[in-house]
Amino acid sequence: SQTIHQWPATLVQPVGSPLSLECTVEGTSNPNLYWYRQAAGRGLQLLFYSVGIGQISSEVPQNLSASRPQDRQFILSSKKLLLSDSGFYLCAWSVRRQGYGYTFGSGTRLTVV
Amino acid sequence: DAKTTQPPSMDCAEGRAANLPCNHSTISGNEYVYWYRQIHSQGPQYIIHGLKNNETNEMASLIITEDRKSSTLILPHATLRDTAVYYCAPRNSGNTPLVFGKGTRLSVIA
């Protein structure tokens, strides 16, 4: 069966520090991968998605970046965090066919102080 | 540029049916409508999806209007555990990402 792992669950980082959040999927190959962010009390905002290794599409310009070094690994990074980067970060995967839903990870709650 | 419109909040008595509407008037012919829910501090959970026919699974029913401009998610017997934010989102291909709106916060009341 397919599983998605996302870590860490919580993170407190100072302003200006770097960030690296990792997401891995098991039990499938060639998944589509996604990073979403949810600010406090807000909806889900799509940040990045990837349909293959090295292929990243960015939806929102910001100081975050994403990389997909391996088929089932998706990394969200920042060189210098801002206070506004605080939020709940969610990774998700899906198959590349219409008619199938997403599976989300358990999320990382990031607090920038 | 919102693709969907949902009421911000709804209440439902425990044991009664919860009917959650979604307006997607700009949906195109090949876009499915997906529904997810998010319980506080958890990742969203897939519920159901449909193209033009009504759909039912163990969690819910989905009613799509004939013109496909709106849909309604029905939880037939709401429980306290159904309290969550419910999102509808259209999607036109397997490689197109889901874009979520603000959703409806459903509160099931004992």
Side-chain angles (χ1 to χ4, degrees):
Chain A
S1 63
Q2 301 91 359
T3 56
I4 180 169
H5 302 280
Q6 190 180 342
W7 67 92
T10 59
L11 191 60
V12 179
Q13 291 284 98
V15 169
S17 64
L19 173 73
S20 180
L21 301 180
E22 188 165 344
C23 172
T24 59
V25 181
E26 295 178 357
T28 187
S29 58
N30 300 316
N32 286 349
L33 297 171
Y34 310 88
W35 279 111
Y36 286 84
R37 177 173 64 194
Q38 189 170 37
R42 307 289 293 276
L44 291 159
Q45 179 188 35
L46 176 66
L47 299 177
F48 302 95
Y49 69 98
S50 171
V51 300
I53 296 174
Q55 300 179 59
I56 308 294
S57 296
S58 174
E59 291 293 305
V60 182
Q62 59 217 323
N63 68 321
L64 298 172
S65 62
S67 61
R68 185 171 178 173
Q70 299 180 39
D71 181 45
R72 292 169 290 173
Q73 184 185 32
F74 205 22
I75 297 172
L76 182 70
S77 304
S78 174
K79 293 182 179 179
K80 289 185 177 182
L81 284 169
L82 307 173
L83 287 174
S84 58
D85 292 323
S86 294
F88 190 43
Y89 288 82
L90 288 153
C91 180
W93 77 272
S94 71
V95 298
R96 296 181 186 179
R97 291 191 299 279
Q98 182 65 286
Y100 291 83
Y102 285 16
T103 300
F104 282 83
S106 54
T108 295
R109 188 162 300 283
L110 171 67
T111 304
V112 182
V113 296
Chain B
D1 187 17
K3 299 181 70 174
T4 61
T5 304
Q6 296 177 257
S9 64
M10 293 181 64
D11 292 338
C12 179
E14 188 178 21
R16 302 298 294 270
N19 297 285
L20 297 131
C22 178
N23 181 292
H24 33 79
S25 58
T26 60
I27 196 168
S28 61
N30 61 347
E31 285 188 307
Y32 283 69
V33 178
Y34 289 79
W35 282 82
Y36 287 77
R37 72 180 183 185
Q38 187 177 23
I39 297 170
H40 183 63
S41 296
Q42 297 182 23
Q45 175 190 25
Y46 165 79
I47 301 173
I48 199 168
H49 72 275
L51 182 61
K52 52 184 176 182
N53 296 323
N54 297 337
E55 303 287 345
T56 295
N57 63 19
E58 65 278 3
M59 290 182 69
S61 295
L62 176 61
I63 308 297
I64 303 174
T65 58
E66 191 170 342
D67 62 9
R68 302 207 328 116
K69 292 185 177 182
S70 65
S71 61
T72 300
L73 179 75
I74 301 172
L75 308 178
H77 305 286
T79 71
L80 297 178
R81 288 192 300 269
D82 293 322
T83 292
V85 178
Y86 288 76
Y87 298 94
C88 67
R91 185 185 187 202
N92 65 7
S93 79
N95 282 343
T96 303
L98 282 168
V99 177
F100 295 92
K102 297 182 178 179
T104 296
R105 182 173 299 278
L106 175 69
S107 297
V108 181
I109 303 167

